Each structure stands twice: as structure tokens, then as C-alpha cells.
Amino acid sequence: MALESSGSPIVSSAFLHNLPSKSQVDCAETNGNSPHLSRRSLNEIENSEKSGIPLNTPWTLWHDKYVRGATAAEYAANLRKLYTVTTVQSFWSVFNNIPRTSCLDMRTSYHFMRGERKPLWEDKENVNGGYWKMRCAKHNTDKVWKELLLAAIGEQFVDSVRQDDEVCGISVSVRERDDIIQVWNSNAYAVEDATILDKLRDLVPDVDLFDDFYKSHQAHEAFEGAKPRPTKPPGFPFGRD
């Protein structure tokens, strides 16, 4: 485990993979429409929080089911918080006790967000950011989701964004054909200097991530937060206001 200059831990995926952990539960044992953690699982997670390797920041796992045309308030009401992890061991305890992405019902999503922010464009911690969105074939989704989560808790994206930016969320959404992956960042103005897509392909070199693009949250027509007022370019409009 290495430390970057600021002292934040950068943990390799190899180290995280080699930590003892059990296999994820089978699809037959889970509810893909409403994932939850059993009392036994919660006890295991709480114990791992007390003595595990601390993460640089907490991360919260959310679940939702897509509703077309929902307002931000309706979407927020539909979100379910599964758990906030603070150690490497509690991450594995949560990850291994929830359904794999391939077990989720159609048009449902997982969101893994830094801190306890909600996966909402309008959240005060997200409002100035955006996301990289891409698709992957269904047979690759479980692998991509796992590798991106490990990269997130290991702070492996730190060299792929500017110092005034950070990766603050990873989302996976189950769709009819290909699944959707999103990587959230906190500063949309820093996107031109980011190398996130290169990093993703380094993390999963044998997976084709396609139809990728970046979009700021405020660029969405459905964005319900306050948008910055446009400024007039010099000399426009001509004549008096």
C-alpha cells in the first residue's frame, strides 16, 4: 500500500483482491428488486468496521428502480440506502452480501457514492460535477462493477483528475440489452484535463466499454437546481440594454 504526497492511501487492486473474502451470494438467494442486508450480515459488517483497514473516506451504497419522468424529489424518495462503509473489510462484507449486478431486476441501479451524498445531480456535493457514461455487454458488467469499486475505495483515480477534482461516485444500471456504467466527478470544469477513460481501460483491458461520453449535471434539461446565469460577451447586444 502506497501513500500519495497528500497522505491519502492509494491501495492497489491486487492488494484488495487478495484480502480474505467469501463469494457473493447466488441470485436464487437474493431479491433483485429490493436488495437488503440481513441482521446477520449487518452484525458481520459492524464488527469489521471496528478493526478493519480504514478507507480514505466513507462510501455509501444506494439502490433505486428507474421511474420515467420522475422529478428530483420523486427520485430521491425512491432511493434506498444500503450501507455506508468505512473500512476495506466492511466493503467486502457489504459487497458479498448483496445481489450481483447480473442478479438485479431490469431497470434498477446501484450507486456507490463518496461520503453519504445521494446519487442526485442536484445534491449540494454533486451540483458542480458530471459523469462519464458508457455501456458494456451484460456478461462483463459484474467484472467492471467490481473493478471500478475497488479502484474507488483504493483512490486509484486520483492521478486521472486534477487536484481540484475527484471521482465521487460509480453507478451501474441494468438495461434490456447492454448495461450502463457511470463514473461521477465533482468538478465539471476540470473534465478536459481528466484521463478517466484511459484509466478505466487500464482497469479492465479485456472489456469493451463503448458509446462513452461526458456530461455535466447542469447540462441536463431535467436538472432542477440553480444554474449559473449566462454572461454577455463584450459588445452584445449592440446598442443599449
Side-chain angles (χ1 to χ4, degrees), residues 165-209:
D165 191 15
E166 67 179 354
V167 166
C168 58
I170 309 289
S171 297
V172 59
S173 301
V174 179
R175 295 296 185 262
E176 286 76 6
R177 296 181 63 183
D178 306 306
D179 294 331
I180 298 172
I181 303 292
Q182 295 182 66
V183 178
W184 299 53
N185 77 317
S186 60
N187 184 0
Y189 296 101
V191 65
E192 292 185 2
D193 296 315
T195 57
I196 290 295
L197 294 178
D198 292 336
K199 181 63 176 181
L200 297 182
R201 292 183 170 96
D202 287 342
L203 291 169
V204 285
D206 56 340
V207 175
D208 181 22
L209 300 172

Side-chain angles (χ1 to χ4, degrees), residues 7-8 36 50 70 75 91-93 96-98 101 109 124-125 143 174-175 186 209 219 225 229 232-233 241:
S8 301
H36 67 280
K50 298 174 183 177
Y75 176 76
F91 163 79
W92 280 120
S93 294
N96 290 325
N97 283 286
I98 59 171
T101 56
S109 302
K124 65 181 181 180
E125 294 187 82
K143 176 179 181 177
V174 179
R175 295 296 185 262
S186 60
L209 300 172
R229 296 181 62 184
K232 298 178 182 179
D241 290 338

Side-chain angles (χ1 to χ4, degrees), residues 41-62:
S41 298
L42 288 170
N43 288 337
E44 174 188 328
I45 297 165
E46 289 166 2
N47 288 333
S48 66
E49 292 281 7
K50 298 174 183 177
S51 58
I53 300 170
L55 302 177
N56 188 44
T57 66
W59 289 82
T60 301
L61 183 65
W62 301 83

